Amino acid sequence: MLIAAAIGLGSNLGDSQTILADALSCLAGTPGIQVQACSRVYRTAAVGPPQPDYLNQCATLRVTLSPMALLQTLLAIEHRFGRIRRERWGPRLLDLDLLLYGNLQLATPDLCLPHPRMQERAFVLVPLAEIAPDWRDPHTHQTIMALAQTIDQTGVVPFAPARLPLNFVP
């Protein structure tokens, strides 16, 4: 059974635009994952310690993987791209966050769904609203578009166009 999922991608070290594109290709080649849509790339100011700006985007997927298996796959792809976790919110070659998994609400020590800080982050909501505007947050029942319209979008600047169709229905 295919389940809709949404992920956030980010990078602020190396050739970030190529890293994001390669990560999406890697995801698309992973059994149990179909990349459905992908937002354009946005340049955003980093959160946390002083560091370069990020390139961020979101993608919607159809998956047969469980939420934990999808999370482990995302972590393995980060590792394959050289991600080393040194400091919280520090610079990184690749960051892959599982944002939504259908309408599942989950809180475990390893995974919280929907992503616990998604509603606070314009760099997530703006690109996600671009490809899944009508998807409803399972906690608030508000659409992603409605959530994006309530957040300060200052500093979230389009950097590159989308590479896949933008028509996704969760």
Side-chain angles (χ1 to χ4, degrees):
M1 179 164 137
L2 290 172
I3 303 291
I7 63 167
L9 301 90
S11 173
N12 72 341
L13 295 176
D15 181 354
S16 294
Q17 189 171 5
T18 298
I19 289 168
L20 295 180
D22 290 349
L24 284 167
S25 294
C26 188
L27 282 162
T30 300
I33 298 176
Q34 297 173 7
V35 177
Q36 295 292 300
C38 158
S39 74
R40 74 189 79 211
V41 175
Y42 290 83
R43 180 180 299 279
T44 61
V47 174
Q51 59 189 295
D53 287 350
Y54 274 85
L55 293 186
N56 291 103
Q57 70 184 138
C58 287
T60 52
L61 315 172
R62 297 272 189 217
V63 299
T64 57
L65 305 174
S66 71
M68 285 306 298
L70 180 54
L71 175 64
Q72 291 306 315
T73 299
L74 297 177
L75 294 173
I77 291 171
E78 285 181 349
H79 182 72
R80 189 178 321 162
F81 278 77
R83 168 90 187 259
I84 299 171
R85 295 177 184 270
R86 291 198 174 108
E87 72 179 305
R88 184 178 176 124
W89 296 325
R92 56 202 69 173
L93 286 165
L94 180 63
D95 184 36
L96 299 174
D97 288 330
L98 180 52
L99 305 172
L100 295 161
Y101 185 93
N103 291 320
L104 182 64
Q105 295 184 58
L106 180 68
T108 74
D110 297 320
L111 178 60
C112 290
L113 291 168
H115 190 285
R117 289 171 299 284
M118 180 178 78
Q119 293 180 20
E120 305 164 10
R121 296 180 169 169
F123 66 84
V124 169
L125 292 175
V126 170
L128 188 56
E130 183 180 305
I131 56 173
D134 298 324
W135 196 330
R136 292 192 177 272
D137 177 300
H139 284 310
T140 66
H141 305 289
Q142 290 183 292
T143 65
I144 298 302
M145 180 62 77
L147 291 170
Q149 290 171 341
T150 64
I151 196 160
D152 180 6
Q153 298 181 16
T154 305
V156 179
V157 180
F159 181 78
R163 298 181 58 195
L164 294 174
L166 300 178
N167 54 347
F168 177 77
V169 178

